[in-house]
Amino acid sequence: MLTRRTALLSAVAATALSAGSAHTASAAPRTAGRVRLTLPAPSGPYPVGTVSLRLVDTARADPWTTAQSYRELMVSVRYPARDTEGHPRAPQMLPGEAAGFAVVNNLADVPADQVDWAATRTHAHQGAPVDRDRGPYPVVCYSPGAGDPRSLGTTLCDDLASRGYVVVMLDHTYDATAVQFPGGRVERTVLPAEYDKAYPDEKRIRALLKKTMAVRVADTRFLLDALPRALPRELRGTPDWDRIGMFGHSAGGFTALQAMHDDRRIAAGADLDGVIAYVQDDGDPGHLSTVAADGLDRPFLLIGKDGNDLSTVPSWNALWRHSRGPREGLTLRGAEHATFTDEEAMIPQLARRLGLPRRTVVKNIGTIAPARAIPAERACLASFFDRRLGGRYDSGLPGRVPQARPFARRAAPAHRRSSAPGASAGVRPGASTARPR
C-alpha cells in the first residue's frame, strides 16, 4: 500500500538522512558474523541470464532533485539463457544498494544491520547467452513497492524468466531505498524527507502520493520507449514488443495498472496487493486514481493479502465495476502485505538465525508458509501472463491453487462494503489478524 509504506520510511527518515549524502557512494557494512540469505530457485525449464542497464531520459528533468536536468534509471533484464557455464550468479543487491537497504527498509521489527544484504545471490547469471531458439519472448515489466528496490522482486521475476519471458525490473530513483549506478555512485530515497514535510496535512500527503505515482508511470512509459534501442546487441530481437505485460507489488501494482490505463502498449497487468487510490488506508473510500475511476478494457489480475478483496478495498471494487475487459481476482489466505516480495523467503531465515519471535514473522509475512506462498504466487502470476500474453509454459489456472480464493464474479455496489473483521471472501477462520504494514 503506497501511503502506509511511505509512512514507514518516514519513521526512520532521521536515521536515513544522517547515514550519508544521497549523492555519494556508501561503503557496504562490515559483513563479519552477519546473516547471509538464500533465494528459492526458479521453477521453469530455462536457466536465466541477466544484464543491468542505465537509462537516461534527457527530455525530463528529475522531479525529485533540482540538481539534475534529466531523469536517470537503472533496470535489470532477465531472460531465458542458452547456458550459464562460466557466467556467475548475479547479486541481489550491489554493495551500495545493500548499505542503503540496511539503513532504510520496510522490514518490521527486523534488525537489518545484522544481515549481509550484499551476499545474497540470485539464480540469474550475469551476461549468459540468450536462448534464441524459442524466442522472441513476451515482455513483462516489474515495479516494486514504494521505497523498495527492484531487487526485492527477484523471486517472482527470475521465475517468470525461467518460464520463457523477458522480465524488466525497474528501479524508481529517489523512491527506492538506494540505487547504484555504474561507477559506484548511489542515489538514496527522498521519500522519508518528503513525507515528513507533508505530514500531517492530508492534502499535502495526497499531493505527494499523486506525484509519486505520476513519476513512476512516467518512468514506465520512458522505459517502453527507450529499452528497444538500449538493449545490448546480443539481446536485440529477443523481446516481443507486441506482447507486453506488467506487474508490481503495492505501489508497484498501482503503477502497473495505472501505466496500463495510460499506455496501450501494455496488454495485461497484475497488481499484487496495491491499492489504486490516493488514500492512507486500504479500506478508505474516495480519491480514486483514473484507472480505478475509468476501468480497463484489457485483462488485469488483482491478488490480495488475507482480507483484501472487492468487499474491503473500495478502489479495487471501483476498478472491477468500471472495467470492460477480462478481470481476475483472488485472495491469498494467510498472506500479509510483504508476502508478495522476497521477504517471504527471507524473513523465516532471519527468524531462525536471529532468534526473532513468531509475532515478527507473522507481522511481516502472515501465517502462510513460504513452501505454500511462493509456489502459489508463481503459479497464479505465470498462468495469468501465459494466457493473456501467449506464453508457452502454462502452470494451470489460478483457481487450482489451494491457497488462493477467487473473488466473486461481480463487485458489490459501492455502498455495501463490509468493515467487519473476517468479512472478506478471502479470510478463513484462524487467519492472521496482524495489522497490515
Side-chain angles (χ1 to χ4, degrees), residues 5 8 37-40 92-93 101 105-110 117 142 145-149 151-156 249 336-351 360-366 368-370 373-374 377 437:
R5 293 175 76 79
L8 281 171
L37 304 171
T38 61
L39 296 174
Q92 183 189 29
M93 300 183 196
F101 187 78
N105 55 70
N106 284 312
L107 303 171
D109 302 330
V110 174
W117 298 106
Y142 171 76
D148 284 342
S151 56
L152 211 59
T154 295
T155 297
L156 293 178
H249 167 250
E336 250 299 342
H337 188 61
T339 296
F340 306 101
T341 72
D342 289 346
E343 290 182 39
E344 181 66 27
M346 293 173 155
I347 293 294
Q349 296 177 62
L350 292 173
T360 297
V361 175
V362 173
K363 187 175 184 179
N364 281 278
I365 61 170
I368 188 170
I374 293 171
E377 294 165 29
R437 294 190 300 143

Side-chain angles (χ1 to χ4, degrees), residues 57-118:
D57 185 357
T58 57
R60 181 170 48 130
D62 195 289
W64 294 116
T65 175
T66 58
Q68 204 157 274
S69 61
Y70 53 88
R71 178 72 171 156
E72 187 180 23
L73 305 171
M74 285 298 297
V75 302
S76 295
V77 182
R78 303 296 212 250
Y79 53 88
R82 186 176 70 248
D83 66 74
T84 58
E85 185 177 355
H87 297 272
R89 289 165 59 181
Q92 183 189 29
M93 300 183 196
L94 295 173
E97 295 166 341
F101 187 78
V103 173
V104 182
N105 55 70
N106 284 312
L107 303 171
D109 302 330
V110 174
D113 60 345
Q114 296 184 32
V115 183
D116 184 0
W117 298 106

Side-chain angles (χ1 to χ4, degrees), residues 261 290-298 300 318-324:
H261 172 274
T290 54
V291 65
D294 298 341
L296 290 165
D297 60 0
R298 284 152 288 151
F300 68 86
L319 171 67
W320 199 274
R321 288 185 292 109
H322 297 149
S323 292
R324 303 171 301 287

Side-chain angles (χ1 to χ4, degrees), residues 164-240:
Y165 290 86
V166 172
V167 183
V168 186
M169 305 164 68
L170 171 62
D171 257 337
H172 301 282
T173 313
Y174 301 113
D175 177 329
T177 48
V179 181
Q180 184 165 328
F181 289 93
R185 176 172 55 90
V186 177
E187 304 292 357
R188 295 194 176 189
T189 182
V190 300
L191 291 187
E194 293 294 322
Y195 186 86
D196 280 348
K197 287 190 291 185
Y199 184 82
D201 188 310
E202 290 285 342
K203 290 183 178 179
R204 294 184 67 182
I205 292 173
R206 193 166 298 118
L208 173 60
L209 301 181
K210 289 182 177 180
K211 176 180 178 178
T212 302
M213 189 52 51
V215 173
R216 285 168 155 262
V217 171
D219 288 347
T220 302
R221 302 190 73 176
F222 169 69
L223 170 69
L224 297 180
D225 291 339
L227 194 58
R229 298 186 302 274
L231 284 176
R233 180 172 300 178
E234 55 270 23
L235 291 184
R236 292 178 187 175
T238 301
D240 185 345

